Amino acid sequence: MFLLVGTAFSVAQTAAGLPSFDHAKLLMCSGLPCVDAVVEGRHLRLGVDTGNPNSILDVKVAEAAGLSLQPVNGADGKPFPGFQKAIVNNVAVGGVVFKEIRFLVFDLSPAIHAKTFPGVDGTIGYGAFKDRALQLDYPAGVFSVSQPLATSVVCPAVCGDISLITFGHRGPPIVTTTGFTVNGKPISVQVDTMFTGSLLVFPTSVEKLDLTAEAQSKKSEYFAFTDEGVDMFRAEAKRVGFGSKKLAANAPLYFAGPKVHLPDGLFDGTVGAELLGSHKVTFDFHDNKFWLD
């Protein structure tokens, strides 16, 4: 199964070049990456969510698009209240066309009205990018996706190793990578494009990363889109990097408040939009590699 890799990063051994990409405009919705999509002839706005394998769609939007909705059955075989599913063909995002996306459909309006979910019609989860390369060029505002890859593509220089590790012993699989460092120490982190913060370090990794003093911070900051709205404690990291590259000095560093869901020590932390937003980031979901420029 998927295991954390002990080394901090991998170095490319050959110059295989990048795959060809199709492109769309990368937008920002409530400070998070999103794209305009065409679903059954209707123009929708979807968040780009590497923190969730599932793509989701608001039920009113799905009904207005005339999608065929099927029940989602629970463990007892009975329909799970409030949740449905839809399979949509030929979803167009600019020049990118997904032959099929499977959406989980439910009512997003309460969370949007409570401002605990960004103002979008749904999301594209990372499961839609299976065997593809996904590139988010935040500074240039470009969303790029390859066709499903049949052969390996080696990342240009330094890349992290992606693992799909469950968030906690019973949580869904999420995208984690090696390669990042905090104050020179390697860390394994979830890369969550729907997290608005920079770097969140979980309690089980505080001591090993020599962040005990920083974790005593009482300066609180509210994150509306994490766990339906939670407080985290803010300090500073002297340096956050990727491989030998310095990404930020005196960077915001966050620690979990009492309502933050924890991953049972399976990885060290989560990086999000506040750190990623100055870079072009690439997820290779064929060879499970991650890098940024």
Side-chain angles (χ1 to χ4, degrees), residues 199-238:
L199 171 60
L200 164 65
V201 173
F202 293 115
T204 48
S205 296
V206 166
E207 185 175 352
K208 79 170 186 177
L209 296 174
D210 293 330
L211 295 173
T212 302
E214 290 84 349
Q216 302 308 308
S217 172
K218 300 303 179 185
K219 184 177 180 181
S220 181
E221 189 169 325
Y222 179 70
F223 287 83
F225 305 138
T226 299
D227 296 334
E228 300 181 340
V230 292
D231 290 309
M232 299 184 192
F233 299 106
R234 175 171 174 158
E236 283 189 350
K238 295 176 183 177

PDB file of all heavy atoms in Angstrom, residues 199-238:
ATOM      1  N   LEU A 199       1.458  26.692   6.276  1.00  0.00           N
ATOM      2  CA  LEU A 199       1.891  25.390   6.768  1.00  0.00           C
ATOM      3  C   LEU A 199       1.302  25.157   8.147  1.00  0.00           C
ATOM      4  O   LEU A 199       1.534  25.929   9.074  1.00  0.00           O
ATOM      5  CB  LEU A 199       3.420  25.324   6.841  1.00  0.00           C
ATOM      6  CG  LEU A 199       4.028  24.098   7.532  1.00  0.00           C
ATOM      7  CD1 LEU A 199       3.625  22.804   6.833  1.00  0.00           C
ATOM      8  CD2 LEU A 199       5.551  24.221   7.593  1.00  0.00           C
ATOM      9  N   LEU A 200       0.530  24.094   8.275  1.00  0.00           N
ATOM     10  CA  LEU A 200      -0.026  23.648   9.542  1.00  0.00           C
ATOM     11  C   LEU A 200       0.771  22.437   9.995  1.00  0.00           C
ATOM     12  O   LEU A 200       0.933  21.472   9.240  1.00  0.00           O
ATOM     13  CB  LEU A 200      -1.497  23.271   9.367  1.00  0.00           C
ATOM     14  CG  LEU A 200      -2.160  22.442  10.470  1.00  0.00           C
ATOM     15  CD1 LEU A 200      -2.226  23.217  11.785  1.00  0.00           C
ATOM     16  CD2 LEU A 200      -3.557  21.995  10.033  1.00  0.00           C
ATOM     17  N   VAL A 201       1.285  22.488  11.223  1.00  0.00           N
ATOM     18  CA  VAL A 201       2.033  21.355  11.790  1.00  0.00           C
ATOM     19  C   VAL A 201       1.174  20.698  12.859  1.00  0.00           C
ATOM     20  O   VAL A 201       0.656  21.370  13.764  1.00  0.00           O
ATOM     21  CB  VAL A 201       3.376  21.819  12.386  1.00  0.00           C
ATOM     22  CG1 VAL A 201       4.059  20.666  13.123  1.00  0.00           C
ATOM     23  CG2 VAL A 201       4.286  22.354  11.290  1.00  0.00           C
ATOM     24  N   PHE A 202       1.022  19.367  12.758  1.00  0.00           N
ATOM     25  CA  PHE A 202       0.173  18.639  13.696  1.00  0.00           C
ATOM     26  C   PHE A 202       0.921  18.327  14.999  1.00  0.00           C
ATOM     27  O   PHE A 202       2.158  18.237  15.021  1.00  0.00           O
ATOM     28  CB  PHE A 202      -0.343  17.362  13.042  1.00  0.00           C
ATOM     29  CG  PHE A 202      -1.290  17.628  11.902  1.00  0.00           C
ATOM     30  CD1 PHE A 202      -0.952  17.269  10.605  1.00  0.00           C
ATOM     31  CD2 PHE A 202      -2.507  18.249  12.116  1.00  0.00           C
ATOM     32  CE1 PHE A 202      -1.815  17.515   9.547  1.00  0.00           C
ATOM     33  CE2 PHE A 202      -3.378  18.512  11.075  1.00  0.00           C
ATOM     34  CZ  PHE A 202      -3.033  18.141   9.790  1.00  0.00           C
ATOM     35  N   PRO A 203       0.174  18.135  16.102  1.00  0.00           N
ATOM     36  CA  PRO A 203       0.799  17.985  17.429  1.00  0.00           C
ATOM     37  C   PRO A 203       1.828  16.863  17.522  1.00  0.00           C
ATOM     38  O   PRO A 203       2.829  16.999  18.230  1.00  0.00           O
ATOM     39  CB  PRO A 203      -0.399  17.711  18.351  1.00  0.00           C
ATOM     40  CG  PRO A 203      -1.561  18.341  17.664  1.00  0.00           C
ATOM     41  CD  PRO A 203      -1.304  18.172  16.191  1.00  0.00           C
ATOM     42  N   THR A 204       1.608  15.755  16.816  1.00  0.00           N
ATOM     43  CA  THR A 204       2.516  14.613  16.926  1.00  0.00           C
ATOM     44  C   THR A 204       3.888  14.893  16.323  1.00  0.00           C
ATOM     45  O   THR A 204       4.825  14.126  16.541  1.00  0.00           O
ATOM     46  CB  THR A 204       1.911  13.381  16.239  1.00  0.00           C
ATOM     47  OG1 THR A 204       1.443  13.751  14.939  1.00  0.00           O
ATOM     48  CG2 THR A 204       0.743  12.821  17.047  1.00  0.00           C
ATOM     49  N   SER A 205       4.018  15.981  15.559  1.00  0.00           N
ATOM     50  CA  SER A 205       5.300  16.292  14.915  1.00  0.00           C
ATOM     51  C   SER A 205       5.992  17.509  15.509  1.00  0.00           C
ATOM     52  O   SER A 205       7.099  17.852  15.084  1.00  0.00           O
ATOM     53  CB  SER A 205       5.085  16.517  13.409  1.00  0.00           C
ATOM     54  OG  SER A 205       4.638  15.333  12.789  1.00  0.00           O
ATOM     55  N   VAL A 206       5.375  18.151  16.476  1.00  0.00           N
ATOM     56  CA  VAL A 206       5.938  19.386  17.041  1.00  0.00           C
ATOM     57  C   VAL A 206       7.307  19.146  17.654  1.00  0.00           C
ATOM     58  O   VAL A 206       8.280  19.859  17.363  1.00  0.00           O
ATOM     59  CB  VAL A 206       4.971  19.989  18.082  1.00  0.00           C
ATOM     60  CG1 VAL A 206       5.676  21.058  18.925  1.00  0.00           C
ATOM     61  CG2 VAL A 206       3.751  20.586  17.393  1.00  0.00           C
ATOM     62  N   GLU A 207       7.429  18.148  18.487  1.00  0.00           N
ATOM     63  CA  GLU A 207       8.683  17.915  19.211  1.00  0.00           C
ATOM     64  C   GLU A 207       9.799  17.490  18.267  1.00  0.00           C
ATOM     65  O   GLU A 207      10.919  18.002  18.346  1.00  0.00           O
ATOM     66  CB  GLU A 207       8.478  16.863  20.297  1.00  0.00           C
ATOM     67  CG  GLU A 207       9.704  16.658  21.180  1.00  0.00           C
ATOM     68  CD  GLU A 207       9.439  15.707  22.334  1.00  0.00           C
ATOM     69  OE1 GLU A 207       8.278  15.323  22.543  1.00  0.00           O
ATOM     70  OE2 GLU A 207      10.411  15.337  23.032  1.00  0.00           O
ATOM     71  N   LYS A 208       9.522  16.574  17.350  1.00  0.00           N
ATOM     72  CA  LYS A 208      10.578  16.078  16.463  1.00  0.00           C
ATOM     73  C   LYS A 208      11.078  17.159  15.512  1.00  0.00           C
ATOM     74  O   LYS A 208      12.207  17.088  15.023  1.00  0.00           O
ATOM     75  CB  LYS A 208      10.107  14.848  15.690  1.00  0.00           C
ATOM     76  CG  LYS A 208       9.221  15.122  14.499  1.00  0.00           C
ATOM     77  CD  LYS A 208       9.012  13.861  13.674  1.00  0.00           C
ATOM     78  CE  LYS A 208       8.244  14.161  12.397  1.00  0.00           C
ATOM     79  NZ  LYS A 208       8.076  12.968  11.543  1.00  0.00           N
ATOM     80  N   LEU A 209      10.253  18.177  15.269  1.00  0.00           N
ATOM     81  CA  LEU A 209      10.655  19.278  14.393  1.00  0.00           C
ATOM     82  C   LEU A 209      11.204  20.469  15.176  1.00  0.00           C
ATOM     83  O   LEU A 209      11.462  21.533  14.599  1.00  0.00           O
ATOM     84  CB  LEU A 209       9.464  19.726  13.534  1.00  0.00           C
ATOM     85  CG  LEU A 209       8.926  18.683  12.546  1.00  0.00           C
ATOM     86  CD1 LEU A 209       7.658  19.180  11.866  1.00  0.00           C
ATOM     87  CD2 LEU A 209       9.987  18.329  11.498  1.00  0.00           C
ATOM     88  N   ASP A 210      11.396  20.288  16.481  1.00  0.00           N
ATOM     89  CA  ASP A 210      11.935  21.338  17.356  1.00  0.00           C
ATOM     90  C   ASP A 210      11.092  22.612  17.283  1.00  0.00           C
ATOM     91  O   ASP A 210      11.619  23.732  17.225  1.00  0.00           O
ATOM     92  CB  ASP A 210      13.395  21.658  16.992  1.00  0.00           C
ATOM     93  CG  ASP A 210      14.339  20.498  17.276  1.00  0.00           C
ATOM     94  OD1 ASP A 210      14.055  19.729  18.217  1.00  0.00           O
ATOM     95  OD2 ASP A 210      15.336  20.349  16.544  1.00  0.00           O
ATOM     96  N   LEU A 211       9.772  22.433  17.318  1.00  0.00           N
ATOM     97  CA  LEU A 211       8.854  23.575  17.243  1.00  0.00           C
ATOM     98  C   LEU A 211       8.053  23.734  18.525  1.00  0.00           C
ATOM     99  O   LEU A 211       6.986  24.349  18.528  1.00  0.00           O
ATOM    100  CB  LEU A 211       7.901  23.393  16.047  1.00  0.00           C
ATOM    101  CG  LEU A 211       8.554  23.403  14.664  1.00  0.00           C
ATOM    102  CD1 LEU A 211       7.533  23.050  13.589  1.00  0.00           C
ATOM    103  CD2 LEU A 211       9.189  24.765  14.369  1.00  0.00           C
ATOM    104  N   THR A 212       8.587  23.216  19.626  1.00  0.00           N
ATOM    105  CA  THR A 212       7.858  23.262  20.891  1.00  0.00           C
ATOM    106  C   THR A 212       7.589  24.699  21.333  1.00  0.00           C
ATOM    107  O   THR A 212       6.476  25.030  21.777  1.00  0.00           O
ATOM    108  CB  THR A 212       8.644  22.522  21.987  1.00  0.00           C
ATOM    109  OG1 THR A 212       8.852  21.167  21.564  1.00  0.00           O
ATOM    110  CG2 THR A 212       7.877  22.525  23.295  1.00  0.00           C
ATOM    111  N   ALA A 213       8.581  25.563  21.194  1.00  0.00           N
ATOM    112  CA  ALA A 213       8.392  26.963  21.608  1.00  0.00           C
ATOM    113  C   ALA A 213       7.347  27.643  20.734  1.00  0.00           C
ATOM    114  O   ALA A 213       6.466  28.359  21.232  1.00  0.00           O
ATOM    115  CB  ALA A 213       9.719  27.712  21.538  1.00  0.00           C
ATOM    116  N   GLU A 214       7.438  27.429  19.419  1.00  0.00           N
ATOM    117  CA  GLU A 214       6.485  28.059  18.505  1.00  0.00           C
ATOM    118  C   GLU A 214       5.058  27.570  18.767  1.00  0.00           C
ATOM    119  O   GLU A 214       4.093  28.338  18.644  1.00  0.00           O
ATOM    120  CB  GLU A 214       6.870  27.757  17.054  1.00  0.00           C
ATOM    121  CG  GLU A 214       8.130  28.448  16.571  1.00  0.00           C
ATOM    122  CD  GLU A 214       9.408  27.709  16.940  1.00  0.00           C
ATOM    123  OE1 GLU A 214       9.346  26.757  17.761  1.00  0.00           O
ATOM    124  OE2 GLU A 214      10.465  28.077  16.406  1.00  0.00           O
ATOM    125  N   ALA A 215       4.928  26.301  19.145  1.00  0.00           N
ATOM    126  CA  ALA A 215       3.606  25.723  19.366  1.00  0.00           C
ATOM    127  C   ALA A 215       2.919  26.267  20.606  1.00  0.00           C
ATOM    128  O   ALA A 215       1.723  26.016  20.806  1.00  0.00           O
ATOM    129  CB  ALA A 215       3.709  24.199  19.458  1.00  0.00           C
ATOM    130  N   GLN A 216       3.636  27.033  21.426  1.00  0.00           N
ATOM    131  CA  GLN A 216       3.035  27.634  22.624  1.00  0.00           C
ATOM    132  C   GLN A 216       2.298  28.933  22.304  1.00  0.00           C
ATOM    133  O   GLN A 216       1.695  29.543  23.184  1.00  0.00           O
ATOM    134  CB  GLN A 216       4.118  27.909  23.673  1.00  0.00           C
ATOM    135  CG  GLN A 216       4.910  26.690  24.105  1.00  0.00           C
ATOM    136  CD  GLN A 216       4.022  25.544  24.544  1.00  0.00           C
ATOM    137  OE1 GLN A 216       3.130  25.715  25.387  1.00  0.00           O
ATOM    138  NE2 GLN A 216       4.245  24.358  23.975  1.00  0.00           N
ATOM    139  N   SER A 217       2.334  29.361  21.049  1.00  0.00           N
ATOM    140  CA  SER A 217       1.693  30.617  20.660  1.00  0.00           C
ATOM    141  C   SER A 217       0.210  30.621  21.027  1.00  0.00           C
ATOM    142  O   SER A 217      -0.490  29.622  20.852  1.00  0.00           O
ATOM    143  CB  SER A 217       1.848  30.845  19.158  1.00  0.00           C
ATOM    144  OG  SER A 217       1.085  31.956  18.746  1.00  0.00           O
ATOM    145  N   LYS A 218      -0.257  31.757  21.497  1.00  0.00           N
ATOM    146  CA  LYS A 218      -1.671  31.926  21.822  1.00  0.00           C
ATOM    147  C   LYS A 218      -2.364  32.865  20.833  1.00  0.00           C
ATOM    148  O   LYS A 218      -3.529  33.226  21.016  1.00  0.00           O
ATOM    149  CB  LYS A 218      -1.822  32.466  23.246  1.00  0.00           C
ATOM    150  CG  LYS A 218      -1.232  31.564  24.322  1.00  0.00           C
ATOM    151  CD  LYS A 218      -1.835  30.165  24.286  1.00  0.00           C
ATOM    152  CE  LYS A 218      -1.232  29.258  25.353  1.00  0.00           C
ATOM    153  NZ  LYS A 218      -1.745  27.861  25.239  1.00  0.00           N
ATOM    154  N   LYS A 219      -1.635  33.263  19.783  1.00  0.00           N
ATOM    155  CA  LYS A 219      -2.205  34.133  18.767  1.00  0.00           C
ATOM    156  C   LYS A 219      -3.098  33.292  17.865  1.00  0.00           C
ATOM    157  O   LYS A 219      -2.640  32.418  17.151  1.00  0.00           O
ATOM    158  CB  LYS A 219      -1.105  34.805  17.952  1.00  0.00           C
ATOM    159  CG  LYS A 219      -1.619  35.800  16.931  1.00  0.00           C
ATOM    160  CD  LYS A 219      -0.472  36.473  16.202  1.00  0.00           C
ATOM    161  CE  LYS A 219      -0.984  37.484  15.177  1.00  0.00           C
ATOM    162  NZ  LYS A 219       0.139  38.137  14.449  1.00  0.00           N
ATOM    163  N   SER A 220      -4.385  33.573  17.893  1.00  0.00           N
ATOM    164  CA  SER A 220      -5.356  32.726  17.217  1.00  0.00           C
ATOM    165  C   SER A 220      -5.774  33.333  15.874  1.00  0.00           C
ATOM    166  O   SER A 220      -5.865  34.561  15.727  1.00  0.00           O
ATOM    167  CB  SER A 220      -6.594  32.540  18.096  1.00  0.00           C
ATOM    168  OG  SER A 220      -7.541  31.711  17.482  1.00  0.00           O
ATOM    169  N   GLU A 221      -6.013  32.466  14.897  1.00  0.00           N
ATOM    170  CA  GLU A 221      -6.489  32.892  13.588  1.00  0.00           C
ATOM    171  C   GLU A 221      -7.582  31.926  13.135  1.00  0.00           C
ATOM    172  O   GLU A 221      -7.452  30.707  13.285  1.00  0.00           O
ATOM    173  CB  GLU A 221      -5.344  32.918  12.588  1.00  0.00           C
ATOM    174  CG  GLU A 221      -5.697  33.551  11.263  1.00  0.00           C
ATOM    175  CD  GLU A 221      -4.482  33.798  10.380  1.00  0.00           C
ATOM    176  OE1 GLU A 221      -3.404  34.123  10.924  1.00  0.00           O
ATOM    177  OE2 GLU A 221      -4.611  33.647   9.146  1.00  0.00           O
ATOM    178  N   TYR A 222      -8.662  32.487  12.588  1.00  0.00           N
ATOM    179  CA  TYR A 222      -9.818  31.682  12.197  1.00  0.00           C
ATOM    180  C   TYR A 222      -9.704  31.259  10.738  1.00  0.00           C
ATOM    181  O   TYR A 222      -9.378  32.064   9.867  1.00  0.00           O
ATOM    182  CB  TYR A 222     -11.100  32.484  12.401  1.00  0.00           C
ATOM    183  CG  TYR A 222     -12.366  31.762  11.994  1.00  0.00           C
ATOM    184  CD1 TYR A 222     -12.833  30.673  12.724  1.00  0.00           C
ATOM    185  CD2 TYR A 222     -13.098  32.176  10.886  1.00  0.00           C
ATOM    186  CE1 TYR A 222     -13.997  30.010  12.359  1.00  0.00           C
ATOM    187  CE2 TYR A 222     -14.264  31.525  10.513  1.00  0.00           C
ATOM    188  CZ  TYR A 222     -14.706  30.449  11.251  1.00  0.00           C
ATOM    189  OH  TYR A 222     -15.856  29.789  10.889  1.00  0.00           O
ATOM    190  N   PHE A 223      -9.986  29.965  10.460  1.00  0.00           N
ATOM    191  CA  PHE A 223      -9.985  29.422   9.111  1.00  0.00           C
ATOM    192  C   PHE A 223     -11.393  28.915   8.791  1.00  0.00           C
ATOM    193  O   PHE A 223     -11.827  27.879   9.289  1.00  0.00           O
ATOM    194  CB  PHE A 223      -8.952  28.299   8.987  1.00  0.00           C
ATOM    195  CG  PHE A 223      -7.539  28.789   8.977  1.00  0.00           C
ATOM    196  CD1 PHE A 223      -6.887  29.071  10.165  1.00  0.00           C
ATOM    197  CD2 PHE A 223      -6.874  29.013   7.785  1.00  0.00           C
ATOM    198  CE1 PHE A 223      -5.582  29.554  10.163  1.00  0.00           C
ATOM    199  CE2 PHE A 223      -5.572  29.494   7.767  1.00  0.00           C
ATOM    200  CZ  PHE A 223      -4.923  29.766   8.955  1.00  0.00           C
ATOM    201  N   ALA A 224     -12.079  29.674   7.964  1.00  0.00           N
ATOM    202  CA  ALA A 224     -13.493  29.409   7.712  1.00  0.00           C
ATOM    203  C   ALA A 224     -13.728  28.109   6.957  1.00  0.00           C
ATOM    204  O   ALA A 224     -14.733  27.422   7.186  1.00  0.00           O
ATOM    205  CB  ALA A 224     -14.107  30.569   6.934  1.00  0.00           C
ATOM    206  N   PHE A 225     -12.831  27.750   6.031  1.00  0.00           N
ATOM    207  CA  PHE A 225     -13.089  26.628   5.139  1.00  0.00           C
ATOM    208  C   PHE A 225     -12.457  25.316   5.598  1.00  0.00           C
ATOM    209  O   PHE A 225     -12.463  24.325   4.857  1.00  0.00           O
ATOM    210  CB  PHE A 225     -12.580  26.961   3.726  1.00  0.00           C
ATOM    211  CG  PHE A 225     -13.144  28.238   3.173  1.00  0.00           C
ATOM    212  CD1 PHE A 225     -12.334  29.126   2.478  1.00  0.00           C
ATOM    213  CD2 PHE A 225     -14.469  28.578   3.360  1.00  0.00           C
ATOM    214  CE1 PHE A 225     -12.842  30.304   1.963  1.00  0.00           C
ATOM    215  CE2 PHE A 225     -14.997  29.757   2.866  1.00  0.00           C
ATOM    216  CZ  PHE A 225     -14.183  30.624   2.171  1.00  0.00           C
ATOM    217  N   THR A 226     -11.895  25.288   6.792  1.00  0.00           N
ATOM    218  CA  THR A 226     -11.293  24.070   7.339  1.00  0.00           C
ATOM    219  C   THR A 226     -12.194  23.510   8.435  1.00  0.00           C
ATOM    220  O   THR A 226     -12.529  24.221   9.387  1.00  0.00           O
ATOM    221  CB  THR A 226      -9.898  24.355   7.925  1.00  0.00           C
ATOM    222  OG1 THR A 226      -9.039  24.844   6.885  1.00  0.00           O
ATOM    223  CG2 THR A 226      -9.293  23.093   8.527  1.00  0.00           C
ATOM    224  N   ASP A 227     -12.591  22.261   8.283  1.00  0.00           N
ATOM    225  CA  ASP A 227     -13.408  21.589   9.308  1.00  0.00           C
ATOM    226  C   ASP A 227     -14.613  22.416   9.730  1.00  0.00           C
ATOM    227  O   ASP A 227     -14.936  22.531  10.923  1.00  0.00           O
ATOM    228  CB  ASP A 227     -12.546  21.240  10.532  1.00  0.00           C
ATOM    229  CG  ASP A 227     -11.457  20.246  10.211  1.00  0.00           C
ATOM    230  OD1 ASP A 227     -11.621  19.469   9.257  1.00  0.00           O
ATOM    231  OD2 ASP A 227     -10.417  20.252  10.901  1.00  0.00           O
ATOM    232  N   GLU A 228     -15.268  23.060   8.763  1.00  0.00           N
ATOM    233  CA  GLU A 228     -16.463  23.877   8.977  1.00  0.00           C
ATOM    234  C   GLU A 228     -16.192  25.076   9.878  1.00  0.00           C
ATOM    235  O   GLU A 228     -17.091  25.572  10.561  1.00  0.00           O
ATOM    236  CB  GLU A 228     -17.605  23.021   9.541  1.00  0.00           C
ATOM    237  CG  GLU A 228     -18.008  21.880   8.604  1.00  0.00           C
ATOM    238  CD  GLU A 228     -19.155  21.049   9.138  1.00  0.00           C
ATOM    239  OE1 GLU A 228     -19.414  21.090  10.362  1.00  0.00           O
ATOM    240  OE2 GLU A 228     -19.792  20.369   8.322  1.00  0.00           O
ATOM    241  N   GLY A 229     -14.955  25.557   9.865  1.00  0.00           N
ATOM    242  CA  GLY A 229     -14.585  26.747  10.616  1.00  0.00           C
ATOM    243  C   GLY A 229     -13.897  26.409  11.924  1.00  0.00           C
ATOM    244  O   GLY A 229     -14.540  25.908  12.851  1.00  0.00           O
ATOM    245  N   VAL A 230     -12.581  26.675  11.996  1.00  0.00           N
ATOM    246  CA  VAL A 230     -11.811  26.359  13.201  1.00  0.00           C
ATOM    247  C   VAL A 230     -10.787  27.459  13.466  1.00  0.00           C
ATOM    248  O   VAL A 230     -10.408  28.219  12.569  1.00  0.00           O
ATOM    249  CB  VAL A 230     -11.061  25.008  13.066  1.00  0.00           C
ATOM    250  CG1 VAL A 230     -12.026  23.844  13.024  1.00  0.00           C
ATOM    251  CG2 VAL A 230     -10.147  25.016  11.843  1.00  0.00           C
ATOM    252  N   ASP A 231     -10.339  27.520  14.710  1.00  0.00           N
ATOM    253  CA  ASP A 231      -9.246  28.411  15.086  1.00  0.00           C
ATOM    254  C   ASP A 231      -7.942  27.626  15.109  1.00  0.00           C
ATOM    255  O   ASP A 231      -7.896  26.464  15.524  1.00  0.00           O
ATOM    256  CB  ASP A 231      -9.495  29.012  16.477  1.00  0.00           C
ATOM    257  CG  ASP A 231     -10.644  30.000  16.468  1.00  0.00           C
ATOM    258  OD1 ASP A 231     -10.630  30.907  15.614  1.00  0.00           O
ATOM    259  OD2 ASP A 231     -11.565  29.864  17.299  1.00  0.00           O
ATOM    260  N   MET A 232      -6.881  28.283  14.652  1.00  0.00           N
ATOM    261  CA  MET A 232      -5.530  27.730  14.745  1.00  0.00           C
ATOM    262  C   MET A 232      -4.632  28.762  15.402  1.00  0.00           C
ATOM    263  O   MET A 232      -4.963  29.952  15.441  1.00  0.00           O
ATOM    264  CB  MET A 232      -4.983  27.378  13.354  1.00  0.00           C
ATOM    265  CG  MET A 232      -5.789  26.332  12.620  1.00  0.00           C
ATOM    266  SD  MET A 232      -5.004  25.874  11.035  1.00  0.00           S
ATOM    267  CE  MET A 232      -6.344  24.948  10.277  1.00  0.00           C
ATOM    268  N   PHE A 233      -3.506  28.301  15.917  1.00  0.00           N
ATOM    269  CA  PHE A 233      -2.562  29.188  16.593  1.00  0.00           C
ATOM    270  C   PHE A 233      -1.411  29.510  15.656  1.00  0.00           C
ATOM    271  O   PHE A 233      -0.823  28.620  15.044  1.00  0.00           O
ATOM    272  CB  PHE A 233      -2.062  28.545  17.881  1.00  0.00           C
ATOM    273  CG  PHE A 233      -3.176  28.272  18.864  1.00  0.00           C
ATOM    274  CD1 PHE A 233      -3.638  26.981  19.072  1.00  0.00           C
ATOM    275  CD2 PHE A 233      -3.780  29.324  19.540  1.00  0.00           C
ATOM    276  CE1 PHE A 233      -4.671  26.732  19.948  1.00  0.00           C
ATOM    277  CE2 PHE A 233      -4.819  29.082  20.427  1.00  0.00           C
ATOM    278  CZ  PHE A 233      -5.272  27.782  20.629  1.00  0.00           C
ATOM    279  N   ARG A 234      -1.100  30.794  15.545  1.00  0.00           N
ATOM    280  CA  ARG A 234      -0.121  31.254  14.563  1.00  0.00           C
ATOM    281  C   ARG A 234       1.206  31.626  15.215  1.00  0.00           C
ATOM    282  O   ARG A 234       1.243  32.319  16.235  1.00  0.00           O
ATOM    283  CB  ARG A 234      -0.665  32.465  13.797  1.00  0.00           C
ATOM    284  CG  ARG A 234       0.333  33.083  12.842  1.00  0.00           C
ATOM    285  CD  ARG A 234      -0.285  34.129  11.960  1.00  0.00           C
ATOM    286  NE  ARG A 234       0.724  34.809  11.144  1.00  0.00           N
ATOM    287  CZ  ARG A 234       0.469  35.444  10.016  1.00  0.00           C
ATOM    288  NH1 ARG A 234      -0.776  35.495   9.563  1.00  0.00           N
ATOM    289  NH2 ARG A 234       1.428  36.032   9.335  1.00  0.00           N
ATOM    290  N   ALA A 235       2.277  31.157  14.609  1.00  0.00           N
ATOM    291  CA  ALA A 235       3.636  31.550  14.989  1.00  0.00           C
ATOM    292  C   ALA A 235       4.397  31.823  13.683  1.00  0.00           C
ATOM    293  O   ALA A 235       3.781  32.145  12.670  1.00  0.00           O
ATOM    294  CB  ALA A 235       4.299  30.450  15.814  1.00  0.00           C
ATOM    295  N   GLU A 236       5.725  31.696  13.716  1.00  0.00           N
ATOM    296  CA  GLU A 236       6.525  31.894  12.515  1.00  0.00           C
ATOM    297  C   GLU A 236       7.584  30.808  12.401  1.00  0.00           C
ATOM    298  O   GLU A 236       8.127  30.350  13.414  1.00  0.00           O
ATOM    299  CB  GLU A 236       7.225  33.261  12.516  1.00  0.00           C
ATOM    300  CG  GLU A 236       6.324  34.425  12.187  1.00  0.00           C
ATOM    301  CD  GLU A 236       7.108  35.707  12.000  1.00  0.00           C
ATOM    302  OE1 GLU A 236       8.319  35.730  12.319  1.00  0.00           O
ATOM    303  OE2 GLU A 236       6.513  36.697  11.516  1.00  0.00           O
ATOM    304  N   ALA A 237       7.841  30.396  11.164  1.00  0.00           N
ATOM    305  CA  ALA A 237       8.964  29.499  10.871  1.00  0.00           C
ATOM    306  C   ALA A 237      10.103  30.341  10.313  1.00  0.00           C
ATOM    307  O   ALA A 237       9.876  31.240   9.507  1.00  0.00           O
ATOM    308  CB  ALA A 237       8.548  28.448   9.849  1.00  0.00           C
ATOM    309  N   LYS A 238      11.314  30.066  10.740  1.00  0.00           N
ATOM    310  CA  LYS A 238      12.448  30.819  10.213  1.00  0.00           C
ATOM    311  C   LYS A 238      12.566  30.620   8.704  1.00  0.00           C
ATOM    312  O   LYS A 238      12.904  31.552   7.976  1.00  0.00           O
ATOM    313  CB  LYS A 238      13.740  30.370  10.907  1.00  0.00           C
ATOM    314  CG  LYS A 238      13.771  30.683  12.397  1.00  0.00           C
ATOM    315  CD  LYS A 238      15.036  30.123  13.026  1.00  0.00           C
ATOM    316  CE  LYS A 238      15.052  30.374  14.535  1.00  0.00           C
ATOM    317  NZ  LYS A 238      16.248  29.766  15.176  1.00  0.00           N
TER     318      LYS A 238
END
